[in-house]
Amino acid sequence: MVDKGNTYGERVSRLVGWGHWFAFFNIISAMLIGTRYIAQSPWPETLLGQFYLAVSWVGHFGFLVFAIYLLILFPLTFLIPSRKLFRLVAVCFATVGLTVLLVDTQAYQSINLHLNPVVWEVLFSDDSESAVTADLQHLFVVLPLIFLIELALSEWVWHKQRRLSHKRVGRPIAAFFFVSFIASHLTYVWADAYFYSPITSQRANFPLSYPMTAKSFMQKHGLLDRDEYLKRQAESENADIVNYPLEPIEFNRRPNDLNILVVSVNNLRSDALNEQEMPNTYAFAQQSLNFTNHYSSSNDMFGVFGLFYGLPSSYETSIRSQATKPVVIKALENQDYQFGLFSGGNFDDNLYAETMFIDKSLTELPKDGNGPNDNQAINAWSQWVTQQPNGKPWFSFIELTTLEDFQMQGNGKGSATEKLRSGYQQSVQHADEELAKLFEEIQTLQLQDNTMVVITSNHGIEFNETKTNSWGANSNYSQYQLQVPMVIYWPGKVPGVYSHRTSHLDFSVTLMQDLLGVSSKPSDFSSGRNMFDESKRRWIIAGDSRELALITDSSTTVIDKFGNFKLYDQDYHRLQDENPTLPVLMQGLTELQRFYTKSN
């Protein structure tokens, strides 16, 4: 129905005035709901951090609500001639907006993510049955209540509009929100340029929050010195602080003082350990504990990080900046183990020197015409062992790099895949010969009764078995790039084959509990569990610094840090129309954040 008795201009003028006051009270409502984000987020310890939290809370919700009003409701003021119809439309928009905001606060509290199309689809899919989903859906019960409140607010503002206008507080209120919005962004510009973590850590506290940065502008106008900025960037602990371990490590029994030798044959696939290609290592596995369904924690060099730390690769940046040692290395140090570290590639990846073995001496092999090689590393290890004092246990790590630079083999016949496979197989046979030499040294030095020997790899390698044009490593999380050998010769334990799923993240837990006498819960210092625990596990974790892969019996879910996911079947083919179950998604995201400290 079209209102009569007033000109079009008068109706529009009054609706515009009403719309501004209606938006103001909805800003207040949004801010009140937004306190749930503040309650869930760490409280800044510095006064400047608290100031930013306050002005960003005021400025962000003020801008967000008023921007929605300007983009949607303001144009409708000129299109809908009926005052009652326009106000009803505005009430409906406000009701939906506040309800979605309320749902977002619950999602943020539950899985620390804001709503996006992917998260919404997962949370409210038919297959998602959990307490969190139920809580989220129960929030919609308040929708009628919000509608009634908005309806009452609409009527009250309509009747009080003239009185509110006469108070002349509209402009000061608008100025307050505008100043808060500008102050929050300018403060963040400074904090981002100077790596001020009490502010930068609040970047994603609120939904649709995109704080402004201006490092290039500041450098151009002389407000930021580039050299000083790069120096701060190198020194800054701009990564989140990791609380690792979560609780002090406790011991309940005397440790077993076995020597420990860990050998990583880089790029060694699990299925390469067979009687034909690696007869010597295969024979050694028959005398050992052979975990035949073992996964690396990454498809790149970070697999070694997971082996020692028991944490997903996403923690590496923070661990490196904090110079935090693996708890298993600390436990070995406390029990007076000697350390010998050797590499056929002279540890050319900084991951070793800057994380796992941060204050240890890495043996540097001499560089001849062919550079350092694996045989040199094995010889250097053998000499080092003979120099160790009697009665003191030792820990040593040998990195074999033969498989990193295999060449295509063939005389022009066969496909490129076959030539690559042939080259890889030849390198595998060469690696087996190197390991045979190592096993012989162990016998010669009479270490077989007092030394644990571990044969594994940092990750596997693929020859396009997934038919996704994937070659080598670091391109997907299929079994070909993740499954690696895990053979443990453990004096005192009966040899056997274990076919249950295990992970690199389990290795440090197993050493801590079964060798070093640790009684702490594995969850206090690892994302893994004891390798001898054969109970069914829902998933195992792999990933790199950008993504997390949750591998179940039937599928692989790959999640990025924003909560976007991709689902693959057992053959690593994309499942376009299916979603992971919410518990898997939530548990994975929780594991990505569980060791981060809750204070700024």
Side-chain angles (χ1 to χ4, degrees), residues 254 257-259 335-338 385 388-394 450:
R254 192 170 180 269
D257 291 334
L258 288 177
N259 303 317
Q335 295 174 21
D336 205 22
Y337 270 71
Q338 307 300 302
V385 170
Q388 298 312 299
N390 291 329
K392 281 197 172 184
W394 48 258
N450 64 353

Side-chain angles (χ1 to χ4, degrees), residues 9 16 210 237 272 275 377 390 419 428 444 533 561:
V16 168
Y210 305 101
E237 295 182 3
E275 192 171 6
N390 291 329
K419 294 177 182 179
V428 165
T444 301
D533 182 354
K561 60 183 179 180

Side-chain angles (χ1 to χ4, degrees), residues 425-444:
Q425 288 169 353
Q426 288 195 20
S427 293
V428 165
Q429 293 168 3
H430 184 52
D432 183 60
E433 294 170 1
E434 294 172 346
L435 288 171
K437 178 181 179 180
L438 178 64
F439 301 148
E440 184 179 346
E441 289 292 328
I442 292 173
Q443 293 289 333
T444 301

Side-chain angles (χ1 to χ4, degrees), residues 295 501 536-541 549-557 567-570 580-581 584:
Y295 287 76
R501 286 190 303 166
K536 184 177 177 61
R537 62 202 306 171
R538 301 186 65 175
W539 40 261
I540 59 173
I541 295 177
L550 297 171
I551 303 162
T552 69
D553 290 333
S554 59
S555 65
T556 297
T557 304
L567 191 64
Y568 300 87
D569 63 16
Q570 289 178 306
T581 60
V584 170

Side-chain angles (χ1 to χ4, degrees), residues 115-386:
L115 287 179
N116 59 44
V118 173
V119 173
W120 185 278
E121 184 178 0
V122 171
L123 292 178
F124 297 105
S125 66
D126 294 335
D127 296 331
S128 297
E129 296 181 2
S130 70
V132 175
T133 305
D135 289 341
L136 286 168
Q137 292 173 342
H138 288 161
L139 289 177
F140 288 102
V141 175
V142 304
L143 191 148
L145 178 61
I146 295 176
F147 178 78
L148 292 176
I149 293 174
E150 288 289 338
L151 201 60
L153 177 64
S154 169
E155 287 296 318
W156 184 83
V157 171
W158 184 258
H159 292 295
K160 299 294 183 180
Q161 180 180 348
R162 294 184 185 279
R163 183 176 298 179
L164 291 171
S165 299
H166 289 158
K167 291 181 181 291
R168 300 185 184 279
V169 294
R171 289 185 179 180
I173 290 174
F176 173 70
F177 283 108
F178 178 77
V179 170
S180 296
F181 177 76
I182 296 300
S184 67
H185 282 272
L186 291 179
T187 305
Y188 192 90
V189 164
W190 173 85
D192 179 65
Y194 289 87
F195 298 100
Y196 190 69
S197 60
I199 290 177
T200 57
S201 62
Q202 300 181 48
R203 178 182 180 89
N205 279 8
F206 302 129
L208 300 176
S209 177
Y210 305 101
M212 182 171 64
T213 60
K215 292 186 288 290
S216 298
F217 176 85
M218 294 173 71
Q219 290 176 14
K220 182 178 180 181
H221 291 82
L223 300 175
L224 180 65
D225 184 271
R226 177 176 174 79
D227 293 335
E228 290 186 4
Y229 170 77
L230 292 176
K231 183 180 179 180
R232 283 194 300 270
Q233 186 180 41
E235 297 175 350
S236 172
E237 295 182 3
N238 62 333
D240 294 327
I241 303 302
V242 171
N243 185 20
Y244 168 80
L246 295 176
E247 300 291 342
I249 298 299
E250 298 180 356
F251 298 82
N252 67 345
R253 60 181 174 81
R254 192 170 180 269
N256 188 337
D257 291 334
L258 288 177
N259 303 317
I260 304 171
L261 169 60
V262 178
V263 182
S264 174
V265 186
N266 290 356
N267 289 14
L268 182 60
R269 289 166 53 125
S270 178
D271 58 7
L273 181 53
N274 58 67
E275 192 171 6
Q276 290 72 39
E277 296 179 72
M278 303 187 74
N280 298 294
T281 311
Y282 182 81
F284 181 79
Q286 303 307 302
Q287 308 168 31
S288 309
L289 308 170
N290 189 4
F291 296 86
T292 59
N293 194 13
H294 185 82
Y295 287 76
S296 174
S297 56
S298 184
N299 58 6
D300 58 16
M301 276 302 300
F302 288 112
V304 183
F305 173 85
L307 186 72
F308 283 94
Y309 281 94
L311 299 177
S313 303
S314 58
Y315 288 99
E316 192 275 337
T317 301
S318 299
I319 289 289
R320 187 192 299 242
S321 67
Q322 294 172 213
T324 303
K325 296 180 184 178
V327 291
V328 66
I329 296 295
K330 288 183 179 179
L332 292 169
E333 289 175 339
N334 291 338
Q335 295 174 21
D336 205 22
Y337 270 71
Q338 307 300 302
F339 287 83
L341 309 170
F342 310 86
S343 168
N346 266 344
F347 294 109
D348 60 354
D349 195 299
N350 292 333
L351 185 66
Y352 293 104
E354 296 179 4
T355 52
M356 286 92 69
F357 308 133
I358 189 168
D359 62 350
K360 299 291 183 289
S361 175
L362 304 179
T363 302
E364 185 170 352
L365 302 177
K367 297 180 180 180
D368 53 26
N370 298 321
N373 58 57
D374 293 347
N375 285 321
Q376 286 180 318
I378 293 172
N379 291 334
W381 169 81
S382 179
Q383 294 175 13
W384 174 82
V385 170
T386 61

Side-chain angles (χ1 to χ4, degrees), residues 14-31 61-62 65-70 72-74 77 83-98 146-161 164-165 170 173 177:
R14 188 169 183 193
L15 285 176
V16 168
W18 173 88
H20 282 75
W21 284 109
F22 186 71
F24 165 72
F25 286 108
N26 275 282
I27 289 173
I28 301 301
S29 300
M31 289 174 58
F61 285 105
V65 175
F66 196 70
I68 293 175
Y69 164 76
L70 285 180
I72 299 176
L73 294 181
F74 183 72
T77 307
R83 297 173 180 176
K84 291 184 178 180
L85 179 59
F86 173 78
R87 285 159 50 199
L88 179 62
V89 170
V91 165
C92 292
F93 266 103
T95 301
V96 172
L98 292 181
I146 295 176
F147 178 78
L148 292 176
I149 293 174
E150 288 289 338
L151 201 60
L153 177 64
S154 169
E155 287 296 318
W156 184 83
V157 171
W158 184 258
H159 292 295
K160 299 294 183 180
Q161 180 180 348
L164 291 171
S165 299
I173 290 174
F177 283 108

